[in-house]
Amino acid sequence: MARPKGWPMRWLHRKRALWRTKATARDTGSVLLSQRRVYILPTRAGLGFCALLLVLLVGSINYSLGLGFGLTFVAGACALVDMVQTTRNLAGLVLSPGRAPDVFAGEDAPFELRVENPTRLPRYAVWIDFEHEREPRQAVDVTAGGSTTLVLRTPTRTRGWMRPPRVRLSTRFPLGLFRAWSWWQPDSRALVYPFPEQDAPPLPMTGRPSPDGVGSTGSDDFAGVRSYQPGDPMRYLAWRQIARLDPALGGQLVTKHFEGGTVDELVLDFDALPPRLDEELRLARMARWVLEAEQRALPYAFRLGRIRYDSALGAAHQAACLRALALYGLPEGTA
Amino acid sequence: MTPLSRDKQDTLLLIASSLLVLVPHAAHLPPWVSLLCGATLAWRAGVTLLGRRMPSNVILVPIAAAAMFGVLHSYHTLLGRDAGVAMLVLLVAFKMLEMHARRDLFVVVFLCYFLVLTNFFYSQTIPTALLMLVSLVALLATQLSFQLTGAVPPLRTRLWMGAKLLGLALPLAGAAFVLFPRVEGPLWGMPDDAHSARSGLSDTMSPGQMSNLAQSEDVAFRVKFDGAPPPQPQLYWRGPVLGSYDGRTWTRIRPSRHVRPQPLSLSVGGKPLGYQVTLEPSNTRWLFALEMPRALPAVPGHDVALSGELEIQTLAPIAERVRYDLVSYVHYNLQPEASPVDGQWLTLPYGINPRARAEGQATANEPDPARRVAAVLREFSQGGFVYTLQPPLLPGPDAVDDFLYGTRAGFCEHYAGAFVFLMRAAGVPARVVTGYQGGDLNPLDGYLTVRQSDAHAWAEVWLPRQGWVRVDPTAAVAPERVRRSLARALPAPAPFGLEGLGRLLQPDPDSLLGRIRYMFGAVNNGWNQWVLNYTPQRQQNLVQRLQEGLSHWQSLALIGMLCLVLFLVRKFSLRQKTDPADALYSVLCQRLGQLGLPRAPDEGPTAYASRIEARSFADAGLTPEQSAAATEFLRRYSAYRYGPQSPGTGLLSTLRDLLSRVR
């Protein structure tokens, strides 16, 4: 006897469990919002419309208005059609994650999202934002067979890999009587560098003492040119090379590059930092120094635990160093 | 002119669609309400176009209060139906000036929906229904425009979207209309002004009254006979029976408390005629029946009573369209035995119409009452009488004399009145019967339409052994009136003095115009029967018939077939969308996959071909011939899909051929 009584509850339970896993499951790659993933509920206006229908019906009955019944049923049917169309405005969209550039902790991490509409139905007014945002900040329209890319930003706090929060897509189009929504966990991640320390001590010039003082680059042996970086002194610009190609035509500013000489070896060594400092603070200081060295175009070696990079300069070097700082101490493959 | 911003466009669209809803109300609102409403909307439009600020509540509240006072002044109430509608109309207009958030938009739109409904209090014709659909499209487009965020399709597209939404909703609404359980209204007491006066037959008859009515083309009722309708001359729809004359007006004889009503004795013969009457609301209590009905009709929501003169009445005025079934006999004997009581059917006012009275008394020399009747009728038909809708006025005190010996031109009311006067003077009990005669049979739907213009008055005389016998003196003057219809009996009117135009407007059933008229009539009647008067009873009948129809295996089979066809069409149309070459390709891949050579998701046909070639088809148990076919297939498919030139004809058949060889 208990079985027939219990089965609806069990069924409900199972459904809810399924729903939960589905709602929280991570989607890999691009994902198709199937009809089953789209949830729908009436909005406040929809409830108001329901009340209106009731009023229309009662009025029609009371005054025996044949046409009034017609109006009531047409309006009701419009609401039902609206429900279907609202669902269909979301269902069938294909979502895929885009680029997620590296950021420093404390900045907003931008996540690129691509919304594709492979159907023949143009989509209007699809609101997209991370789940935690109360009011979605962006709305997109996707033409039939078209696609659009948008960037959602979310604040970062801690270094390391960062997964974007769950994205919520919602729409009330066409009539606003229903709100359909769906969740999507984009399968992308952004690398968050440690926050560069403010007011960090000056770059640690270790190694051989230099007669020229601290912090100057070698200028003895001309070793070629490299691309200009902000902070390069004017006198090092390779004017002859620059003159050959107008920057407006795609030419680049280039800087003469020197090697050797009396340059101090600039080594950014994590272990050399006072151990009494907080680990995160030390990482923050390292990050600041990396940025500063890059800015001043001082080649720097980098030591962090087992990671040892030789003295170098440039975007790739900087990225490698910052990446090492971001992932320091974190287990492999943490998200 | 610079394009307007989206906000402004949306607001103007909202104003336009609310205007569409408000305009029909202008027909029954006091002019000042319409004017105020128009001014308010114009104000709102101006605010939008010029980018001004909305008026503050300091200005709005006094205006709204004044408008409220105006409504109270115009209708002497704020509660009635009409006053309520006026307030609602003003509310919508004022709300426009007080719109701030999206919520307010919904308020305005929803109020508009309700205003569409209130318009049905006043009109429920087909044009009203069409206007309703147009308004709905506008309202839907408005609602939809406010939901848009970035891209805004042009107005035409948005209207089309609204129309499409409505189009999708209509079948559903139709099903709900037919099947939604109907409740008989009203749910509570209706306001007093729920039904305004309508024209119809009254229970008195004075000169000019009938001829006025005869100029109205309004429908009095419609009749659907179970079998073939009887010929036109038999279609006498009995209404009020008038017996008391004051020299000018014929009125009903009030049942006297001192006189016991005579027991009704009625014997009928001949074939019974079954029919259904759909009576338009008349605000009177009369029900019309063909001659002698077998039993009182059942009218939902009304109590029906029968008077001593065989008039059928309801206790309350009929304010809605009602439908009732009747069975009537055209051959009958009504009260043949007893002579009518108290001579109340013989009394005449003293001192008027001396000539007519004298003539009547002279006729009384003839002992057989039937011959007296025939003599008077003969005089009517041979005395140079004219049947006309515009009779000369008879203002004098001796109206019957003036008519009989002076003008000799009159309408049915004159003939019936004069005839009864003469008969009473000749000592034959007589009375005037009013009602309708004839009707316009629509060959398209078999409905007989009886209009106010078919209103007629005739006489009944009591003859020994026969009882009350119908006599139509008009028929003696203008036989066509009874044989065909009123419109044919009268000379064709000549609008703008053009005879031909008048003949063109005549409802000749064989002309194109006549047929169009009948078509409109049939559509209109179907509208009344199925939309406006779709009662619970009718719904029950329909559902029952549907159930019966569905229980036959043939209809079930038909529905099954239809579903199958729809399914196939859908499947076929879905398949059509994919390239047939692609379809063949996926079949091949599936086949090779079964043989242990699955295609990787990121692999193109060429890469696939080279990979499986390298892995020797023989491993998969394919003959060299089969593998050659597979490779060739992939090569050709790749060339078709990615090659620069268009494929030659016969690619598909080649591919199919290769595929069959792989199998």
Side-chain angles (χ1 to χ4, degrees), chain B residues 305-358:
Chain B
L306 192 70
S307 74
E309 288 79 48
L310 272 178
E311 303 154 305
I312 311 173
Q313 273 180 298
T314 53
L315 292 188
I318 298 162
E320 71 280 356
R321 190 175 286 107
V322 293
R323 205 182 293 131
Y324 50 88
D325 293 298
L326 276 173
V327 176
S328 280
Y329 294 92
V330 266
H331 301 288
Y332 60 90
N333 283 330
L334 178 60
Q335 290 173 330
E337 307 89 8
S339 162
V341 279
D342 281 358
Q344 62 175 350
W345 307 114
L346 282 168
T347 43
L348 287 173
Y350 282 107
I352 55 164
N353 302 322
R355 282 185 70 180
R357 187 186 289 266

Side-chain angles (χ1 to χ4, degrees), chain A residues 55 61-62 67 77 125 127 141 174, chain B residues 124 144 147 149-151 186-188:
Chain A
V55 171
I61 291 176
N62 197 47
L67 212 46
W127 291 90
D141 303 296
Chain B
Q124 293 200 69
L144 169 159
Q147 291 300 327
T149 49
L187 298 176
W188 63 83

